[in-house]
Amino acid sequence: MLNDLKINQQHLIFSILFGVLGLIINCYPIPFFANVQFVIGNAFYVISAVLFGPWYALLTAMLVTTGLMLVWDSPHVYVIFCMEALFLGYCRRRDIYALYASAIYWIFIGLPLFYLYFLLFFDIAVKDLFFTALKQVINGLMYGSLASLLILLSPSLWNFNNKIKDSKRRLFSAQLTYYMTLMITISLLVSAIIFNYFYLERQQVLLQSKLNNSANHISSATENYISNYKRVIKNAALQLNYEKLTPQQRQSFLNNLHQSYPGFITMLIANEKAQVVNASPTTRFLDIKGDLKQISIKDRDYYIEAFYNQQLFVSSVFLGRGLGNDAIIAISAPLFNDGKVSGIIEGSLNLSYLKQVENLESNQLKQSIILVDEHNQIVYSTEKLALKPISPFVSSKGSDFYRTQLALINIHNLEALTPEYFYTQKTLDNGWKLYVLEEFSPLLKLAEKQMLNSFLMLFVSVFLSFWISKKISRLLNVPLDLLANHLSKLDATELKNQVVGDSFPNEVYQLYQRLSYSKQQLLSYQMDLEGIVSERTVELEQANKKLKDLVDKDALTGLYNRRYSEDKFNDCLDFCMRSEQAITVAILDLDFFKNVNDTYGHLAGDECLRQVSSLLSVHFKRDTDIIARYGGEEFLLILPISNSLKIESHLNNFRQAIESQTMSQPNSDNAFNVTVSIGAITANANFSSDLDDWIKVADKNLYRAKEAGRNQVIVDIVDDIV
C-alpha cells in the first residue's frame, strides 16, 4: 500500500512537472504563416499519456493548454486537447502506438470538432474553416510524432516505477514497422513544413515587390499629373500678367487653355473684387439670358490664398458645387496689374485621371488603390471597394494572430479575425497617402492549398511507408520466425537449409550457430534433469497434499475449515439445483463450553472438540456431507439431498449421542459430559445462492435453541421458494 502511494505520488509530481514545462513552451507558440502556429508544448501530455495513463495525462493537458488559453484566449483548447489526452491514454492501455492513436484522433474526432467549434463561435468565413481545422491536424501529428520520438530515443529518461507497460509482448515486425513509419512521418512533416515556409515567404516577397512597384508608379503618376497642372496655372498667370488682354481676349485665351488641358473641369478668372469675369466652359456660368452670372468667390480658399498671399495655391480635396460626385482640387495663382494684385486665375482639377492610372497599373494585378489627403479624407478609391469620396478613411490593422511579412488591413469589417487585404503605403510630396491593396484571401487559399497538398502527400507517403515497412519487417522476421518456431521441429540439415541462406543477414547466421550449440548442451542436460524432475515430482506431490490438508482442514479436529466449506457450497448448490433436491445447513454450538476450559483446562477442551468431531464424522458420513469447524466450539454442517421429514430427527439423534457421550480428560481420571444446541434450515437449492443467507437463518435458530434452555434442535423447513 505504501509502495503504491509512493508510485502515485511520483506519477503526480512528474505529470505536474510535464504540465508546467508544456505551459511555458505553449506561451510562445512557433509562428508559421497567417494564423498557423505550432504548439510543441502539447508533446508533454502525449508523453504523460504513454507513461502514466489517461488521468495523469488529463492533469498534464489542463496545465499545458492553460498556456494556449493565455495566448489564444479561446476556451476550446481545454475541450479539444484534454479529450486528446484522455483518448491517447486509453489507447495506450490497449497497446496502440501513440502516433497511430494521434492520427486516429485528429482525423476522426479533432478535425470535425475544430470545424464545428469555429463554425459556431467564430466570425470566420466558411471557405476558410477547413484550412483553420486542417492546420490543427498537422499540428497534432507534429507534436504527437515529436513525443513518440523522444520516448523512443530516450528510454532511460522515462524509467519510472510502475509505468504503463504493454499487456502482451509486441511482435518484432510490428515494432520495426512503427519505428520506420515514425521516422518517415517526422521527416516528411519537417520537410513539408520547411518547404511550405520558404515557398510562402517567397510568395510574400514577390507580392510585396508588386505592391511597391505599383505604389511607386501610381504615386509618381499622380504627383506628375498635379505638378503638370500646377505649371499650367502658373504659366497662364505669368502670360496674363505679361500681356495686356481685353476681357474678350482673356476669354478666348481661357477657352483655348481649357481645351488644351481637359483635366480641368472648369477654369475661371476673377477680378480684385472676387467677381468671376471669365470662365470656361462658359455654359456653366451663364444665366437664363445668356449673360455671365454674377458669381462671387470671395469665400473660397483658392481665392483667399492666391489673392492675399500672392502665391500659387493648391486646395484640399472637395466636391465642387454642381460638378458631380467626383473629388476635385482647385489650383489658383494671383494676377497682377502695374505691380498690384488684380485678381486670380483658377482651374478645378478632376482627379478621375487616377482611374486611368489604376487601369494601367493595378487592375492587371488584381490590386485596388485608395488615395487620402492630408486630412485623411478619401480622394479616390477603386470602384469595387465601394468607399465614398470625401469621407474619412477608417481602417484597422487586422488580427494579431496572423503572421505575415505583409502589412494587413481591414476596411469593411474592422473586427474580422481574417484580414481582408494586405497593402503598402506611399506618402506623396503634397502629404497625401496612397494605399495599394490586394485581397488577402487568394494568398490564404494558396497557403491552404499548399497545406492540403502537403497533408495528402504526407498521408499517402505514410501509408506507403507503413506498407513497405511492414513488408521489410516481415522479410527480416522470416529467419527469426523459423528459428523461434521450428528449431525444435526440424532436424539440423533442414534448419540449416532454410535459415543459413545467402540472402539472410550475418547476424541471423551467428544466432543460428549459437542456438545450435545451445541445443546440444540442452539435450545433454535434459537427460540429467528428467531423473531429478521425477524424484522432485513425487516429493512435490506429497508436499502439495500436506499443504492442501493444512489449507483446507482444521489442525485440531481434522475437520474441514470454514473457507473450504464456503468454497464447496457452490458445488453442492449446483448439484441440488440440477436434481431439484433440498439442502440442510446447520450450526452446532457446545453448551457452556467455557466452563469446560475453566474447570478442566484447555487440554480437556481440545480433547472434547476432537471427540465431538469424531461423533460428527460417524453420524454424517455421506461423501456429499460437509462437516467443518466454524470457529471455537461451533461446527457447520452442509447436508445436500436432505429429507425434510427426517432431518430434525437425524439432528436430534446426534444431539442425544453427544449428551450420552462421556468426555475424558487427558492424563487424568476426570470425566464430564457436554450438550449441544443446534440451529438449522432445510430448503430447496433455489432458496439462495449465497451461503451467508442460509447461515443467517441457521444462526437465528441456534439462538432460539439457546434461549429455550439449550440442548435442543430447531429447524426451519422452507417448503416453497418464490
Side-chain angles (χ1 to χ4, degrees), residues 32 131 134 138 192 195-197 199-200 203 443-457:
F32 177 67
F131 173 67
L134 178 62
I138 298 177
F195 171 78
N196 288 330
Y197 175 80
Y199 176 80
L200 292 173
Q203 292 299 313
L443 182 60
L444 195 62
K445 279 294 181 184
L446 177 64
E448 179 181 349
K449 182 179 179 181
Q450 284 296 112
M451 294 285 280
L452 181 59
N453 291 338
S454 299
F455 178 77
L456 292 176
M457 182 186 70

Side-chain angles (χ1 to χ4, degrees), residues 489-559:
K489 298 178 182 178
L490 300 178
D491 58 33
T493 304
E494 288 180 305
L495 184 63
K496 186 173 182 179
N497 290 337
Q498 291 192 25
V499 177
V500 191
D502 295 335
S503 61
F504 291 140
N506 185 55
E507 290 83 357
V508 176
Y509 177 69
Q510 293 179 357
L511 178 61
Y512 159 75
Q513 289 183 318
R514 293 172 186 171
L515 290 175
S516 298
Y517 176 74
S518 299
K519 183 178 180 181
Q520 295 299 324
Q521 288 184 315
L522 287 173
L523 290 174
S524 63
Y525 292 140
Q526 184 176 354
M527 299 301 295
D528 296 335
L529 288 174
E530 285 180 355
I532 297 173
V533 167
S534 61
E535 294 178 4
R536 295 293 185 269
T537 300
V538 174
E539 295 175 358
L540 183 60
E541 288 176 350
Q542 294 174 350
N544 284 339
K545 186 176 182 305
K546 292 180 180 178
L547 182 61
K548 190 173 184 305
D549 290 341
L550 290 174
V551 172
D552 293 340
K553 291 188 176 182
D554 177 56
L556 176 64
T557 62
L559 298 177

Side-chain angles (χ1 to χ4, degrees), residues 27 56 150 166 291 346 356 369 481 530:
C27 285
Y56 292 104
L150 288 174
D166 296 332
D291 298 327
E346 182 268 343
Q356 302 175 21
I369 66 171
D481 285 340
E530 285 180 355

Side-chain angles (χ1 to χ4, degrees), residues 165-193:
K165 298 180 180 178
D166 296 332
S167 58
K168 59 181 180 180
R169 193 176 295 276
R170 298 183 188 268
L171 295 176
F172 171 73
S173 60
Q175 289 181 324
L176 183 59
T177 300
Y178 176 68
Y179 297 154
M180 294 179 68
T181 303
L182 175 62
M183 297 305 299
I184 292 173
T185 301
I186 293 178
S187 301
L188 290 174
L189 269 173
V190 173
S191 300
I193 290 171

Side-chain angles (χ1 to χ4, degrees), residues 103-115:
I104 292 170
Y105 176 82
W106 281 109
I107 293 175
F108 297 104
I109 301 176
L111 179 62
L113 281 179
F114 254 108
Y115 189 91

Side-chain angles (χ1 to χ4, degrees), residues 342-629:
S342 61
I344 67 161
I345 181 172
E346 182 268 343
S348 297
L349 184 61
N350 186 0
L351 297 178
S352 62
Y353 167 77
L354 295 175
K355 188 172 185 179
Q356 302 175 21
V357 178
E358 179 190 11
N359 291 335
L360 291 174
E361 296 291 340
S362 302
N363 286 353
Q364 299 176 10
L365 303 175
K366 299 181 180 179
Q367 296 173 347
S368 302
I369 66 171
I370 301 173
L371 184 65
V372 299
D373 66 7
E374 67 276 14
H375 302 299
N376 200 41
Q377 292 190 102
I378 297 175
V379 176
Y380 174 83
S381 67
T382 303
E383 185 176 350
K384 66 180 180 180
L385 296 179
L387 298 178
K388 187 177 180 181
I390 318 303
S391 62
F393 177 57
V394 181
S395 64
S396 65
K397 297 302 182 181
S399 173
D400 294 335
F401 288 108
Y402 280 79
R403 175 200 174 274
T404 65
Q405 292 185 358
L406 306 167
L408 304 176
I409 192 170
N410 292 341
I411 61 176
H412 296 107
N413 187 355
L414 302 182
E415 302 298 328
L417 293 177
T418 303
E420 295 174 340
Y421 302 94
F422 55 88
Y423 75 101
T424 190
Q425 177 184 320
K426 180 79 173 178
T427 302
L428 278 62
D429 293 339
N430 60 356
W432 292 3
K433 292 180 181 179
L434 174 68
Y435 295 87
V436 182
L437 299 82
E438 189 166 338
E439 289 186 8
F440 183 72
S441 57
L443 182 60
L444 195 62
K445 279 294 181 184
L446 177 64
E448 179 181 349
K449 182 179 179 181
Q450 284 296 112
M451 294 285 280
L452 181 59
N453 291 338
S454 299
F455 178 77
L456 292 176
M457 182 186 70
L458 175 67
F459 179 79
V460 173
S461 301
V462 169
F463 177 79
L464 290 176
S465 66
F466 175 83
W467 182 76
I468 294 172
S469 301
K470 201 169 186 64
K471 292 292 184 182
I472 294 174
S473 63
R474 285 181 178 177
L475 288 175
L476 295 175
N477 207 39
V478 166
L480 298 178
D481 285 340
L482 287 171
L483 289 174
N485 298 329
H486 303 293
L487 184 61
S488 60
K489 298 178 182 178
L490 300 178
D491 58 33
T493 304
E494 288 180 305
L495 184 63
K496 186 173 182 179
N497 290 337
Q498 291 192 25
V499 177
V500 191
D502 295 335
S503 61
F504 291 140
N506 185 55
E507 290 83 357
V508 176
Y509 177 69
Q510 293 179 357
L511 178 61
Y512 159 75
Q513 289 183 318
R514 293 172 186 171
L515 290 175
S516 298
Y517 176 74
S518 299
K519 183 178 180 181
Q520 295 299 324
Q521 288 184 315
L522 287 173
L523 290 174
S524 63
Y525 292 140
Q526 184 176 354
M527 299 301 295
D528 296 335
L529 288 174
E530 285 180 355
I532 297 173
V533 167
S534 61
E535 294 178 4
R536 295 293 185 269
T537 300
V538 174
E539 295 175 358
L540 183 60
E541 288 176 350
Q542 294 174 350
N544 284 339
K545 186 176 182 305
K546 292 180 180 178
L547 182 61
K548 190 173 184 305
D549 290 341
L550 290 174
V551 172
D552 293 340
K553 291 188 176 182
D554 177 56
L556 176 64
T557 62
L559 298 177
Y560 290 113
N561 55 27
R562 179 174 179 174
R563 186 194 65 80
Y564 177 84
S565 62
E566 291 174 347
D567 291 343
K568 286 297 181 180
F569 176 73
N570 289 331
D571 295 338
C572 294
L573 195 68
D574 292 340
F575 176 73
C576 291
M577 286 281 285
R578 290 193 300 270
S579 58
E580 298 183 354
Q581 297 290 335
I583 300 176
T584 295
V585 174
I587 298 179
L588 294 72
D589 184 76
L590 298 180
D591 298 328
F592 302 111
F593 185 74
K594 183 176 182 300
N595 293 338
V596 174
N597 286 328
D598 294 343
T599 304
Y600 302 103
H602 287 284
L603 292 178
D606 291 345
E607 180 61 26
C608 178
L609 292 175
R610 280 192 287 269
Q611 293 183 34
V612 170
S613 300
S614 297
L615 285 174
L616 283 169
S617 300
V618 171
H619 280 76
F620 305 98
K621 56 187 177 182
R622 294 183 305 173
D623 292 338
T624 56
D625 293 343
I626 299 175
I627 310 169
R629 185 181 178 190

